[in-house]
Amino acid sequence: METRRRTVLAAAAAGLTAAAAGTGAAHASGSRTPARERFGRMPDGTEVHRWTLTGGGVRMKVLSYGGIVQSLEVPDRHGESANVSLGFADLDGYLGESPYLGALIGRYGNRIAKGRFTLDGTEHQLSVNDGPNSLHGGERGFDKRVWDVEPFTRGTDQGLVLSYVSADGEMGYPGTLRTRVTYTLSAAGEWRIDYAATTDRATPVNLTSHVYFNLAGEGSGSVYDHRLSLAASRYTPVDGTLIPTGELAPVSGTPFDFRRAKAIGSDIRSDHPQMLHGQGFDHNWALDKGGSARPAPVAELYEPRSGRAMSVATTEPGLQFYSGNFLDGTLVGSSGRTYRQGDGLCLETQHFPDSPNQPAFPSTILRPGETYRSTTVYGFGTR
Ligand code: BGC
C-alpha cells in the first residue's frame, strides 16, 4: 500500500506554483478562501455554483449540485496536470442522464433489494430506479439536489462544508435526515471527505462518493492498464440484479483477488459467473481493516504511463469497485470525448449493499440521538 507519495509531492507542489502564477484567486493555494463562480441554473431558477479548491498540486472543482466533483486536476510525474475525473462541461450534462459522475450519493449508496426493507416492524417502500431495485438513494437522490455550501480555510487546508436536509419520507426513507459533508483538500494533495448525519426517526444511511477516476486523464481511453490493489480477502457475490446473496466469499483464486496489485484488464474478460452479472467488476469488497475508528489504507491505484498514483483510506467496512462497465459511448465528457465501457472506475467506500435486508452485514441503521460518521481520504501523488 506504499505510494511513495511524499517524494513526489514536492514536484507536484512545484507544478502548482507554475500553474497558479497569474491565474488569479481561483487557483491560489494556501490561505485564500475557495473561489466561487456561477455554473448554471436549475430548471426552477436556483443558481448552481462551482467552487475551486487547490492544494499540493491538485485542483478540484466542486458543484453545489450533487456535491459533484466536476474536475480533478492532478500532476503527472513530470508536473503536467490532467483532469483525472469523468464529468461534463456544463450543468445540462449533469441534468441529463448522468451515471452519477462525480456525485455525492445518499441516502443509500448502492442497491436495496426491491427498494424495500422492514425496520422496527414497519415496512418501507423506497423509490425503485434500477430494474426491480433502489439504487443510490432512488429516482432523485442526493446527487440530484442543490446543497448549501460554506467554504473554509484552515492553515494550508481549503475546504467546503456541504449541507442538505432530506425531508421525512423523501424517496420513501423515514426520518428527516440532516447531512453535512466536508471536503478538505490539504497541502499534501489529500482529499478528505467527512460525512456526518443525524435523524429524527430510525433510518438506513450509507453515504459515498461516486467519482469515476482515470489517472491517465478523462477521455483518454480505458482504465484497464491501471494497477489496483485492494486490502480485502473477501467480497460479497451478487445475484443477476446485483443484490448480494449474503455470502462473504474468499477472493483467493478468483478474479476478485487484488491483494497484490494487478492490472484491471488482466481478468476483466474472465468467464467467472460473478463477472457476467455486472459485465465486469461491480462488487463490494469486505475490507480486511474495515470499520476502523480512523481511516485505514485499503486501496491503491497506479497508472504506469503518467506515474499518477492514488491511495484510498477509509473508516468504512466495504468498498465498491465498479469498472465503468455500463458506460456505453452515449455520453460526451468534459473535454468533448465520448465515454465508453471501462473509461473510468469508481472506488466507493461504503457499508455493504442491501444491508437493511441482510442481518449478518454491519448495520446501516441510524437512530435519533446518534450521529452517523464516516471518513474517506483519497491521496494523490506520482511514482
Ligand atoms: C454501481 C453500478 C451502477 C453505477 C451507476 C455503481 O456504484 O455499483 O452497478 O451501474 O454505480 O453508474
Side-chain angles (χ1 to χ4, degrees):
M1 289 291 141
E2 234 276 287
T3 20
R4 280 185 269 153
R5 194 164 2 102
R6 304 280 152 205
T7 51
V8 297
L9 283 171
L16 172 71
T17 312
T23 48
H27 301 155
S29 67
S31 54
R32 299 235 205 131
T33 325
R36 189 183 91 164
E37 62 195 313
R38 289 160 74 161
F39 191 68
R41 269 185 199 284
M42 297 293 290
D44 72 359
T46 308
E47 216 166 88
V48 171
H49 295 114
R50 178 168 71 173
W51 296 83
T52 301
L53 305 177
T54 56
V58 175
R59 180 157 62 203
M60 167 181 251
K61 298 191 178 182
V62 176
L63 306 183
S64 53
Y65 178 70
I68 287 169
V69 174
Q70 188 250 340
S71 158
L72 178 60
E73 288 168 65
V74 176
D76 68 8
R77 62 163 75 89
H78 305 296
E80 288 286 316
S81 272
N83 175 11
V84 301
S85 73
L86 274 54
F88 296 113
D90 56 28
L91 186 60
D92 280 349
Y94 293 100
L95 295 178
E97 277 295 305
S98 170
Y100 307 92
L101 296 189
L104 274 179
I105 303 293
R107 295 187 187 190
Y108 199 97
N110 214 277
R111 294 175 176 79
I112 295 180
K114 307 202 163 52
R116 209 178 292 149
F117 64 94
T118 299
L119 179 57
D120 299 338
T122 305
E123 185 173 274
H124 297 274
Q125 179 62 57
L126 306 173
S127 150
V128 164
N129 61 333
D130 184 70
N133 303 319
S134 185
L135 173 67
H136 296 331
E139 205 61 56
R140 199 166 161 234
F142 287 7
D143 59 297
K144 297 182 185 64
R145 308 284 170 172
V146 178
W147 293 62
D148 282 334
V149 182
E150 281 298 324
F152 67 88
T153 40
R154 203 172 39 217
T156 52
D157 291 351
Q158 291 195 336
L160 303 172
V161 178
L162 300 112
S163 313
Y164 175 68
V165 180
S166 172
D168 186 12
E170 188 177 286
M171 297 293 109
Y173 285 93
T176 311
L177 192 74
R178 295 175 185 278
T179 302
R180 264 168 78 97
V181 181
T182 307
Y183 286 174
T184 309
L185 189 61
S186 78
E190 286 185 339
W191 171 35
R192 178 181 170 113
I193 314 175
D194 291 291
Y195 303 88
T198 57
T199 185
D200 56 8
R201 279 173 73 194
T203 191
V205 186
N206 191 24
L207 307 176
T208 192
S209 164
H210 210 288
V211 173
Y212 288 70
F213 298 99
N214 183 326
L215 297 184
E218 68 70 42
S220 69
S222 94
V223 293
Y224 295 155
D225 58 356
H226 286 45
R227 298 179 68 79
L228 176 68
S229 61
L230 292 173
S233 319
R234 295 176 304 166
Y235 76 110
T236 52
V238 290
D239 69 14
T241 71
L242 300 178
I243 294 292
T245 59
E247 189 196 352
L248 278 166
V251 297
S252 181
T254 75
F256 301 92
D257 193 349
F258 282 91
R259 289 174 295 177
R260 300 181 69 173
K262 69 171 177 180
I264 288 161
S266 56
D267 288 325
I268 196 86
R269 305 271 181 245
S270 158
D271 67 353
H272 188 287
Q274 281 295 318
M275 293 293 284
L276 306 177
H277 289 321
Q279 299 174 29
F281 296 105
D282 191 358
H283 294 77
N284 170 67
W285 271 253
L287 300 167
D288 291 342
K289 291 191 214 147
S292 56
R294 287 168 172 243
V298 295
E300 198 171 296
L301 187 65
Y302 175 65
E303 198 283 305
R305 274 177 302 146
S306 65
R308 291 190 187 91
M310 182 179 84
S311 60
V312 186
T314 190
T315 57
E316 284 296 306
L319 184 148
Q320 187 84 13
F321 162 37
Y322 169 56
S323 52
N325 317 324
F326 302 123
L327 298 171
D328 61 1
T330 53
L331 300 176
V332 178
S334 38
S335 62
R337 289 178 218 138
T338 54
Y339 293 148
R340 297 194 184 151
Q341 187 175 42
D343 281 0
L345 67 91
C346 301
L347 298 172
E348 305 156 62
T349 54
Q350 61 182 10
H351 271 54
F352 304 173
D354 198 33
S355 295
N357 295 307
Q358 301 271 1
F361 287 177
S363 172
T364 52
I365 303 303
L366 179 72
R367 294 186 180 274
E370 300 172 343
T371 301
Y372 168 98
R373 285 190 202 285
S374 168
T375 298
T376 294
V377 184
Y378 296 95
F380 299 95
T382 58
R383 280 188 215 155

